[in-house]
Amino acid sequence: MTELAIIGGTGLTSLPGLSIDGREDVATPFGKPSAALIRGHFHARPVLFLPRHGVAGNIPPHQVNYRANVWALREVGTRQIIAVNAVGGIQADLVPGTLLIPDQLIDYTHSRRNTFFEDELEHVVHVDFTEPYCPTLREVLIAAAREAGLAAVERGTYGVTQGPRLETSAEVDRLERDGCQVVGMTGMPEAVLARELDLCYAACVVVANAAAGRGAGAISMAEIEFNLESGMERVRALLVEVLKRGM
Ligand code: HPA
């Protein structure tokens, strides 16, 4: 049984170095996941990989079927999920290419299916979400980043916006006042759905651009894609180190 899964975000639709053992289409009560689950070995360790935005990278953040993705991973035996997300840097020193392991999030998304607990319930369920990320898996990511000499930022608050548009500079000002250091569109409801299924979930976010109003002028997709290329190289180095450590 493969216990560790990686959900790749923008810029990480495949995992070079992954030797693929098979692809698994998993049907769920919530519809189809973003893609067939890729089962493989990464540096001799079994791992599952799921590209959040689909194989072609064409499912926008607000249309990702987060419930199907998380359910499908649990269905095939996943117990830990490492999520990789592209973000904008709000805090000035979080320059493009920076890796950050968030310890908190603020959810600004709306109209997304954000729970498994809504139909045919015997009683109402409120999961604890005080610490939205699994502390054990966060520690593994932090230790792996140190070991790999990646200088990842070891905590921070991830503001999750609805998208798919980027933010206004006033919205980024508000996020900063709220205490967010980075902003992205895919951290929720993925994290809470994993919690609802009792999975150990942590994220590594990659700064793709200075958030709106924090850099020089408008943000372009070309800039995001360019910065993510080198950022994702660093994520791969991190994942190799995580898997070396026996996760
Ligand atoms: N905002 C929201 N999501 C993002 C950004 C951003 O600036 N960059 C990459 N994903």
Side-chain angles (χ1 to χ4, degrees):
M1 200 177 260
T2 313
E3 296 209 333
L4 176 70
I6 295 163
I7 302 183
T10 305
L12 195 72
T13 49
S14 64
L15 213 51
L18 182 74
S19 67
I20 298 176
D21 304 326
R23 290 186 166 76
E24 208 168 323
D25 274 313
V26 183
T28 83
F30 309 98
K32 283 176 131 193
S34 298
L37 308 183
I38 299 171
R39 199 182 272 289
H41 282 80
F42 193 60
H43 293 261
R45 301 274 174 191
V47 64
L48 281 154
F49 181 75
L50 175 61
R52 185 185 290 112
H53 300 284
V55 175
N58 61 355
I59 307 173
H62 65 296
Q63 286 183 341
V64 170
N65 191 339
Y66 296 95
R67 294 199 303 180
N69 287 353
V70 174
W71 189 273
L73 288 173
R74 207 271 309 249
E75 194 70 12
V76 301
T78 296
R79 289 291 166 266
Q80 294 115 7
I81 297 176
I82 297 175
V84 179
N85 315 74
V87 295
I90 298 175
Q91 191 174 291
D93 59 345
L94 299 179
V95 296
T98 305
L99 305 189
L100 182 145
I101 320 290
D103 64 334
Q104 277 296 329
L105 62 81
I106 300 179
D107 186 8
Y108 301 91
T109 66
H110 52 84
S111 326
R112 298 184 183 188
R113 305 301 295 267
N114 63 0
T115 183
F116 292 115
F117 296 125
E118 57 185 8
D119 294 322
E120 295 163 34
L121 297 177
E122 277 168 26
H123 51 86
V124 173
V125 178
H126 303 289
V127 292
D128 176 72
F129 208 42
T130 311
E131 298 289 340
Y133 298 105
C134 170
T136 317
L137 193 50
R138 282 192 74 252
E139 283 309 318
V140 170
L141 290 173
I142 289 168
R146 285 187 190 160
E147 190 66 31
L150 288 165
V153 178
E154 298 180 0
R155 65 189 57 80
T157 299
Y158 173 4
V160 192
T161 55
Q162 173 67 4
R165 67 166 177 83
L166 294 162
E167 297 69 40
T168 66
S169 59
E171 286 168 338
V172 172
D173 290 344
R174 176 171 78 132
L175 289 166
E176 184 166 44
R177 285 194 300 275
D178 284 354
C180 301
Q181 282 81 44
V182 292
V183 54
M185 302 175 192
T186 52
M188 282 291 281
E190 201 172 85
V192 75
L193 292 168
R195 176 61 54 83
E196 285 190 349
L197 295 187
D198 225 6
L199 303 175
C200 176
Y201 176 101
C204 172
V205 306
V206 186
V207 178
N209 55 281
R214 296 294 190 270
I219 301 163
S220 71
M221 279 307 291
E223 168 193 359
I224 290 180
E225 280 158 18
F226 177 81
N227 291 328
L228 282 180
E229 260 179 50
S230 55
M232 290 305 164
E233 274 312 309
R234 307 181 72 232
V235 171
R236 284 184 197 106
L238 175 68
L239 294 174
V240 169
E241 195 57 45
V242 168
L243 290 160
K244 271 205 234 158
R245 301 176 76 85
M247 285 297 296

